[in-house]
Each structure stands twice: as structure tokens, then as C-alpha cells.
């Protein structure tokens, strides 16, 4: 019987089929939910519609099923939830905590470099706050959260602190290290940060288990949760599968779609990334059951 205390989720983007890295994230979130005797949901994060591949969402659901993982409720699609994002943005506009921004990416990067910063491939330019006091004649392109205004109004600590169940104590000064981040993009699409925070709260998600590549988003999402008056879930960021260039395995990094003619082989690979021993069972169901027991011993139920 499903427990009411725990709700977890796996939220893939349908930009292609599941690969080895996304299977690790799926398995980690599923194991954590089962170890807690909780509920496991699947949410298709198709908010970035230009990058979505037709039919990838259904194929992902089939891949999960082949690996013995099925959502405990009907899967949801972000593209069907835009009314929730509109309501959240309206709430922030009413409080005066967001503002329209007319800056292009190049303008932001040029301003960042002019301040003496190096702009490397893996470093995003911190927004300098150009449009906080008005658009200065430029057309509005995006909506940004005024991070410092939220911190000051709610009397939050300057640094966001949280506990990651795998990585331990974490902290980040969002205003200084990230800046005012986008909630609605210049192309009219909803930004990941807003959509994920609204969706997790609406679905009652209590525990988030996802890949370590999303770790840096956590502080931003906590600030946004505070701004919207939403609860903050518990976080666990799972280890990543790395490509040959030692960077995160991704579709952009040559990741191949999983060959699930033998699901147990792929599941064993994913389990080893998570620090679990390969299963000696020939049954997917039995292997998953054994890993649930091992997961229960490995990770604290916080």
C-alpha cells in the first residue's frame, strides 16, 4: 500500500529516448520511492517544445515499463499545465517581485565580461540587473525574479542552505552567484525553474531524487518556493554517468538510446553507478526488489 508521507517523481524531457544517464536518475528516484513505501510519479517535462521529439514521450514510458518502473498515477505533461505557470507568475507580479527584461543574451554576456569576468563554456553570465528599474526603451523579452527583493521582503538568509541526502550540507548566495533568473523566456516559453517548482508543489512532491547536474538549480528553486509560499521538498542528487570526454553523458554528448532487449543488463549498469551491486537474479522484478533493500540501507530517510 502506498504511503501518504512520501511522493517522488521522475521528470524526463522528451528530447529523445532514455539513455544510460537518464536511466540512472529514473532508477534512483524509483528505488527511493519504493524504499519509503511511497508514491512514484512520472512527469513529462515538455515545456521546451522546440527541443521535443515527436513520439519520444510515449517511447520513454515504454522504456520505463520494460525496466519494471510504472507511474503510480497517470503521467502528466507540462504542456498541459501552462495555466498553473500563468497563475504563479501573476502572483509574483502582484507582489512586485518580478520584472520584464529587454536584454539579449549577448548584451548580458558583454556586460558580464566588461565587469572583468571570464565567460567560459560552463559558466553562465550573471545578469547585472540592467532592467530592474525599467526597460529603458527596449521591448520586454523575458520575465525575471528579483532575487534580492524576495530575500529582503521575506527576511530570508542571504545564503540559501539545504541538506542533500547524498552530498551533505549545501549553500549558495543566489543573488550574488546566480542573479535574477528567468521565469518566462524571451520566446514566450516557460523557464524550467518556474515550471518544476509549480509542478512539484501541485503534485505534492515531498522528495526529489534527480541527477547531480541539476544540483546547482536547487537554491534558485528554494528561493522561488519561498516567494510562492510553497513547501521545500527533500533533495538527493544522484551520481552522473560520464561520457568519454569525462563530461555528463547527454544527448548532446553522444549518448545512445538504451537497447532494452535485455533490460536487466542496462539496469545492472545503472545500479552500479548508484553504488549498488549487480543483481544475480534473472528477473527484473527480483532485481529491483533486491536493490530496494540495498537502497534502504544506503540512504537516510530524511
Amino acid at each position: 500500500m502506498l504511503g501518504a508521507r512520501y511522493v517522488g517523481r521522475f521528470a524526463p524531457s522528451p528530447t529523445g529516448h532514455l539513455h544510460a544517464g537518464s536511466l540512472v536518475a529514473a532508477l534512483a528516484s524509483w528505488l527511493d520511492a519504493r524504499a519509503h513505501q511511497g508514491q512514484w510519479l512520472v512527469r513529462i517535462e515538455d515545456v521546451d517544445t522546440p527541443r521535443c521529439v515527436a513520439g519520444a514521450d510515449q517511447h520513454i514510458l515504454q522504456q520505463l515499463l520494460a525496466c519494471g518502473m510504472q507511474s503510480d498515477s497517470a503521467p502528466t505533461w507540462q504542456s498541459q499545465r501552462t495555466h498553473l505557470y500563468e497563475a504563479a507568475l501573476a502572483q509574483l507580479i502582484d507582489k512586485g517581485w518580478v520584472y520584464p527584461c529587454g536584454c539579449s543574451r549577448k548584451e548580458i554576456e558583454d556586460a558580464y565580461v566588461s565587469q572583468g569576468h571570464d565567460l567560459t563554456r560552463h559558466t553562465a553570465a550573471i545578469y547585472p540587473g540592467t532592467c530592474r528599474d525599467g526597460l529603458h526603451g527596449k521591448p520586454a523579452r523575458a520575465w525575471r525574479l528579483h532575487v534580492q527583493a524576495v530575500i529582503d521582503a521575506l527576511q530570508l538568509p542571504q545564503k540559501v542552505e539545504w541538506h542533500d541526502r547524498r552530498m551533505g550540507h549545501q549553500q549558495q548566495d543566489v543573488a550574488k552567484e546566480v542573479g535574477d533568473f528567468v521565469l518566462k523566456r524571451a520566446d514566450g516559453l516557460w523557464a524550467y525553474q518556474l515550471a518544476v517548482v509549480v509542478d512539484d508543489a501541485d503534485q505534492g512532491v515531498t522528495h526529489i531524487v534527480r541527477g547531480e547536474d541539476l544540483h546547482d538549480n536547487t537554491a534558485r528553486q528554494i528561493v522561488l518556493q519561498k516567494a510562492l509560499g510553497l513547501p521545500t521538498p527533500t533533495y538527493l542528487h544522484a551520481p552522473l554517468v560520464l561520457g568519454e570526454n569525462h563530461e555528463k553523458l547527454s544527448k548532446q554528448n553522444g549518448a545512445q538510446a538504451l537497447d532494452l532487449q535485455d533490460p536487466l543488463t542496462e539496469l545492472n549498469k545503472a545500479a552500479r553507478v548508484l553504488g549498488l551491486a549487480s543483481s544475480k537474479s534473472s528477473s527484473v522484478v527480483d532485481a529491483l526488489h533486491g536493490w530496494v533493500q540495498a537502497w534502504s540501507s544506503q540512504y537516510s530517510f530524511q
Side-chain angles (χ1 to χ4, degrees):
M1 182 175 180
L2 296 175
R5 184 178 64 87
Y6 182 109
V7 179
R9 49 74 162 175
F10 174 57
S13 298
T15 55
H17 300 165
L18 291 184
H19 54 74
S22 46
L23 181 60
V24 168
L27 180 60
S29 63
W30 187 90
L31 291 175
D32 203 56
R34 290 296 175 260
H36 282 83
Q37 297 183 319
Q39 189 175 15
W40 186 71
L41 309 178
V42 174
R43 180 173 70 234
I44 303 297
E45 295 200 335
D46 59 344
V47 69
D48 193 351
T49 51
R51 295 182 60 237
C52 295
V53 176
D57 52 351
Q58 295 300 328
H59 193 85
I60 287 171
L61 295 175
Q62 293 168 8
Q63 288 179 299
L64 291 172
L65 189 60
C67 292
M69 294 179 280
Q70 184 173 19
S71 181
D72 293 318
S73 297
T76 57
W77 278 257
Q78 282 186 331
S79 57
Q80 300 171 4
R81 304 167 64 80
T82 56
H83 62 288
L84 298 175
Y85 314 146
E86 289 281 7
L89 182 62
Q91 179 181 337
L92 295 170
I93 291 174
D94 287 344
K95 291 180 179 294
W97 293 343
V98 294
Y99 58 89
C101 175
C103 298
S104 67
R105 177 176 294 182
K106 186 177 188 309
E107 288 173 326
I108 297 169
E109 292 177 349
D110 287 347
Y112 186 70
V113 171
S114 71
Q115 295 171 349
H117 302 289
D118 292 326
L119 191 62
T120 64
R121 180 180 166 212
H122 298 290
T123 302
I126 298 173
Y127 183 66
T130 308
C131 297
R132 281 189 199 131
D133 59 350
L135 290 166
H136 307 288
K138 295 187 290 188
R141 295 170 53 85
W143 283 91
R144 292 183 179 272
L145 183 73
H146 191 329
V147 174
Q148 194 62 52
V150 173
I151 291 172
D152 292 344
L154 298 179
Q155 298 183 317
L156 302 176
Q158 190 63 39
K159 289 186 177 181
V160 177
E161 298 190 40
W162 73 99
H163 176 78
D164 184 282
R165 291 169 50 214
R166 171 177 163 261
M167 301 173 69
H169 178 264
Q170 307 293 313
Q171 65 178 25
Q172 186 181 65
D173 185 332
V174 179
K176 180 179 179 181
E177 298 176 48
V178 177
D180 297 344
F181 54 92
V182 171
L183 301 182
K184 192 172 188 180
R185 296 172 10 179
D187 56 10
L189 298 178
W190 295 100
Y192 165 75
Q193 308 296 354
L194 180 67
V196 72
V197 164
V198 170
D199 286 338
D200 284 336
D202 181 69
Q203 294 185 287
V205 172
T206 60
H207 290 66
I208 292 175
V209 178
R210 59 189 181 187
E212 190 175 326
D213 56 313
L214 295 172
H215 159 266
D216 188 56
N217 292 287
T218 307
R220 273 170 276 183
Q221 291 167 12
I222 292 174
V223 169
L224 192 48
Q225 288 156 4
K226 300 294 186 185
L228 291 168
L230 303 175
T232 295
T234 299
Y235 291 93
L236 187 156
H237 289 87
L240 301 177
V241 178
L242 302 181
E244 293 182 0
N245 59 356
H246 303 292
E247 295 182 3
K248 172 205 167 187
L249 187 66
S250 66
K251 300 177 185 75
Q252 294 77 25
N253 193 24
Q256 300 297 310
L258 290 173
D259 179 0
L260 292 177
Q261 295 185 57
D262 181 9
L264 195 52
T265 295
E266 298 300 331
L267 283 167
N268 270 316
K269 293 177 184 176
R272 289 195 292 272
V273 173
L274 294 172
L276 305 173
S278 295
S279 175
K280 294 182 170 59
S281 173
S282 59
S283 160
V284 167
V285 172
D286 290 344
L288 290 171
H289 177 74
W291 287 324
V292 169
Q293 304 307 310
W295 187 273
S296 300
S297 301
Q298 182 165 315
Y299 287 105
S300 170
F301 281 15
Q302 297 179 21

